[in-house]
């Protein structure tokens, strides 16, 4: 059963964003997404200092089943990437909401985060998707 943490906001394309205490937004893919993808074998991360707009393709995740673009949930500047995923992409499967995060953004408009799906809204999206 997939997890849907209440402290996250989601895109219907299965990315999540979490506002951290430092004001950054941490981004990753949902438990549902990693489950659907299967074993993650490669993650292409953005460059630090890249300017992104909400909805931009920012990264790529590849699994044994497919490759998927990763979209930014908010606009801003990439301030950190999870370099550990370069050597151990499977962490995305093991800990999608913890150590499997992809990148962090300093948001230019924090209000964009509140426009994303709540955990309950995202759960409904996942339950109505064809499998």
């Amino acid at each position: 059963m997939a997890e849907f943490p209440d402290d996250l906001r989601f895109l219907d394309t299965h990315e999540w964003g979490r506002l951290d205490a430092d004001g950054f937004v941490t981004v990753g893919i949902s438990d549902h997404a990693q489950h659907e993808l299967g074993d993650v074998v490669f993650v292409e991360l953005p460059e630090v200092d890249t300017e992104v707009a909400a909805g931009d393709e920012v990264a790529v995740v590849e699994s044994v089943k497919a490759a998927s673009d990763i979209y930014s949930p908010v606009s801003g500047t990439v301030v950190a990437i999870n370099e550990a995923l370069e050597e151990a992409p499977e962490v995305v499967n093991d800990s999608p909401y913890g150590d499997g995060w992809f990148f962090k953004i300093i948001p230019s408009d924090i209000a964009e985060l509140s426009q994303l799906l709540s955990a309950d809204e995202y759960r409904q999206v996942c339950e109505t998707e064809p499998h």
Side-chain angles (χ1 to χ4, degrees), residues 29 37-44 59-70 89-90 92-93 102:
I29 63 169
L37 282 168
D39 294 337
V40 173
V41 296
F42 179 75
V43 177
E44 181 181 322
V60 176
V61 61
E62 294 182 17
S63 73
V64 293
K65 294 182 182 178
S68 296
D69 292 325
I70 304 303
E90 66 277 5
V92 173
N93 294 115
F102 283 41

Side-chain angles (χ1 to χ4, degrees), residues 4 10-14 32 117-131:
F4 302 92
F10 295 88
L11 291 169
D12 61 4
T13 51
H14 308 294
H32 174 81
L117 300 170
S118 69
D120 285 338
E121 291 167 331
Y122 178 66
R123 180 184 293 109
Q124 292 173 3
V125 167
C126 294
E127 290 171 355
T128 59
E129 275 188 346
H131 292 283

Side-chain angles (χ1 to χ4, degrees), residues 7-88:
D7 64 330
L8 305 180
R9 302 298 285 191
F10 295 88
L11 291 169
D12 61 4
T13 51
H14 308 294
E15 294 81 8
W16 57 263
R18 178 182 54 233
L19 181 60
D20 298 327
D22 57 13
F24 298 152
V25 173
T26 300
V27 179
I29 63 169
S30 71
D31 188 29
H32 174 81
Q34 70 80 21
H35 180 48
E36 292 293 310
L37 282 168
D39 294 337
V40 173
V41 296
F42 179 75
V43 177
E44 181 181 322
L45 298 168
E47 298 273 329
V48 171
D49 295 327
T50 301
E51 296 283 328
V52 299
D56 280 359
E57 296 174 8
V58 180
V60 176
V61 61
E62 294 182 17
S63 73
V64 293
K65 294 182 182 178
S68 296
D69 292 325
I70 304 303
Y71 301 93
S72 181
V74 295
S75 302
T77 303
V78 175
V79 293
I81 59 171
N82 189 352
E83 294 178 4
L85 297 182
E86 294 172 4
E87 297 295 321

